[in-house]
Amino acid sequence: MRALVTGGAGFIGSTLVDRLLAEGHEVDVVDDLSSGSMANLADARANPDHRFNFHRLDIRDGALVELIERRKPEVVFHLAAQIDVRVSVSDPVHDAMINVIGSLHVLEGARRAGARKVVFASSGGTIYGAVADEDLPAKESHPQQPLSPYGITKKVVGDYLFAYRELHQLEFTALALANVYGPRQDPHGEAGVVAIFAGRLLRDEPCTIFGDGAQTRDYVFVDDVVDAFVRAAHKGDGLIINIGTGIETSVNELYATMARVAQVDRPAVSAEARPGELARSSLDASRAEMQLGWTPWTDLAAGSAAVLEFFRQRDAG
Ligand SMILES: NC(=O)c1ccc[n+]([C@@H]2O[C@H](COP(=O)([O-])OP(=O)(O)OC[C@H]3O[C@@H](n4cnc5c(N)ncnc54)[C@H](O)[C@@H]3O)[C@@H](O)[C@H]2O)c1
């Protein structure tokens, strides 16, 4: 398969690129390196079969449409985005220029190239908005009422994907990701707390827990997420599909697990709760099991060990 990955120099994107190359696919990456890095693509660039091409380009640039048309991918994995919810609140125009207009360039390119499918990285933690306790873990049928400009852009791109399928027969799957963590992750992403804790635990610095630490998230490991992307290239047509574990982990539990794995026994430091923080979040992934044959297999202790090891090696090197 010939694949094009936008955001392929980022955390999830570069892990996807490595997996696609390992399976023998030909991969083009488009990334402006605003938060991603070439270091994430070191393995891909060393690929002996030369099945890898990197294009440094901002997806807001209309030249992307011609680039995709020229490269003629069969499947476009669209992951490039402004990912910081707080930035989307302080500068929603900037956020929408990347996440909406940039996404439209991707869709136009895919349409003109005659691509078979677009697999989109949506956000299960934000598109549903506030989910009532009795509706957790959230299903895809939950109303989409995002509470941040970032969540709105993810919802809107889902709407465009649906319309492009009807209008232009461009197939899609939107993967509504939970809080993705793993090696190469960025502290600004939706599971940023894992990277922050890892860095501080390794430097033997105290970790801060805001509020009572009972707030929960659904932490899903990056390799498991990438597996869902690969499956979605051929399955789950026309659907939004949650990718999460369905398990709610509190910040207190996350810290306890990571501290145990890092063999640190100092307690976390408490700080005042952050206003507007969602109290609970988790995603029901039964549709992913049914439609993609996907279930997550990495538990939090194993995943945390991989993150700690990655940061340890990076700091040493
Ligand atoms: N990490 C999570 O927990 C999570 C959860 C839900 C959804 N997502 C989505 O998954 C995707 C990947 O996220 P990630 O965590 O790997 O983040 P990341 O920041 O590591 O990756 C995003 C990549 O997109 C690139 N990029 C940003 N703006 C660009 C632009 N204008 N033009 C070209 N490239 C640009 C960045 O350089 C980076 O390499 C994003 O769409 C994000 O919204 C992530």
Side-chain angles (χ1 to χ4, degrees):
M1 167 171 82
R2 186 188 261 269
L4 186 140
V5 182
T6 73
F11 159 46
I12 305 171
S14 64
T15 313
L16 172 62
V17 168
D18 287 345
R19 165 86 187 255
L20 291 169
L21 288 171
E23 290 186 1
H25 302 297
E26 205 169 317
V27 181
D28 281 291
V29 164
V30 173
D31 202 297
D32 69 350
L33 301 179
S34 52
S35 65
S37 73
M38 292 312 279
N40 287 340
L41 290 168
D43 291 347
R45 294 167 82 203
N47 184 275
D49 302 332
H50 303 294
R51 289 171 175 272
F52 172 73
N53 285 289
F54 179 78
H55 312 271
R56 184 170 187 173
L57 190 64
D58 188 323
I59 61 169
R60 287 172 291 185
D61 187 334
L64 177 64
V65 178
E66 289 97 69
L67 173 75
I68 299 178
E69 196 175 1
R70 204 169 62 243
R71 299 303 298 171
K72 296 222 172 323
E74 179 189 335
V75 177
V76 176
F77 296 94
H78 176 36
L79 289 88
Q82 189 299 112
I83 64 157
D84 192 323
V85 175
R86 272 168 289 183
V87 168
S88 84
V89 174
S90 63
D91 194 349
V93 174
H94 169 73
D95 180 67
M97 290 302 284
I98 299 172
N99 291 2
V100 180
I101 303 299
S103 293
L104 273 174
H105 289 149
V106 173
L107 294 191
E108 274 302 287
R111 174 174 80 82
R112 291 206 211 161
R116 181 172 57 77
K117 184 160 186 177
V118 174
V119 182
F120 173 57
S122 185
S123 161
T126 62
I127 53 169
Y128 303 122
V131 179
D133 288 356
E134 62 270 24
D135 292 334
L136 287 169
K139 290 194 169 56
E140 293 86 347
S141 55
H142 191 280
Q144 293 187 13
Q145 286 167 337
L147 294 167
S148 63
Y150 169 82
I152 292 171
T153 67
K154 293 293 181 181
K155 173 179 187 255
V156 162
V157 173
D159 293 341
Y160 277 116
L161 285 166
F162 190 80
Y164 267 67
R165 186 177 195 245
E166 295 297 309
L167 294 170
H168 307 299
Q169 293 73 52
L170 175 62
E171 199 46 85
F172 82 89
T173 301
L175 299 178
L177 311 180
N179 298 78
V180 188
Y181 74 102
R184 300 178 187 164
Q185 82 171 93
D186 186 308
H188 302 294
E190 288 170 57
V193 62
V194 178
I196 294 166
F197 281 175
R200 299 190 76 86
L201 285 166
L202 289 170
R203 291 191 300 271
D204 202 20
E205 292 167 2
C207 294
T208 305
I209 292 181
F210 296 96
D212 63 4
Q215 61 275 37
T216 64
R217 295 292 180 268
D218 182 341
Y219 296 100
V220 60
F221 191 63
V222 65
D223 289 359
D224 302 10
V225 170
V226 159
D227 187 58
F229 274 91
V230 172
R231 286 168 185 266
H234 297 285
K235 292 177 181 167
D237 286 357
L239 293 171
I240 176 154
I241 300 181
N242 286 342
I243 298 299
T245 65
I247 299 168
E248 283 185 71
T249 302
S250 70
V251 182
N252 290 331
E253 287 165 329
L254 175 71
Y255 179 73
T257 303
M258 292 190 68
R260 179 167 46 77
V261 173
Q263 296 177 317
V264 170
D265 55 13
R266 90 164 59 215
V269 175
S270 295
E272 214 168 296
R274 285 186 296 193
E277 199 182 359
L278 212 60
R280 295 176 64 187
S281 176
S282 73
L283 299 179
D284 182 318
S286 29
R287 181 180 282 182
E289 183 167 10
M290 205 147 50
Q291 297 290 338
L292 303 177
W294 179 88
T295 45
W297 66 87
T298 309
D299 68 24
L300 194 59
S304 300
V307 175
L308 285 159
E309 184 52 30
F310 171 78
F311 283 105
R312 187 177 286 127
Q313 282 187 16
R314 201 187 60 178
D315 292 350

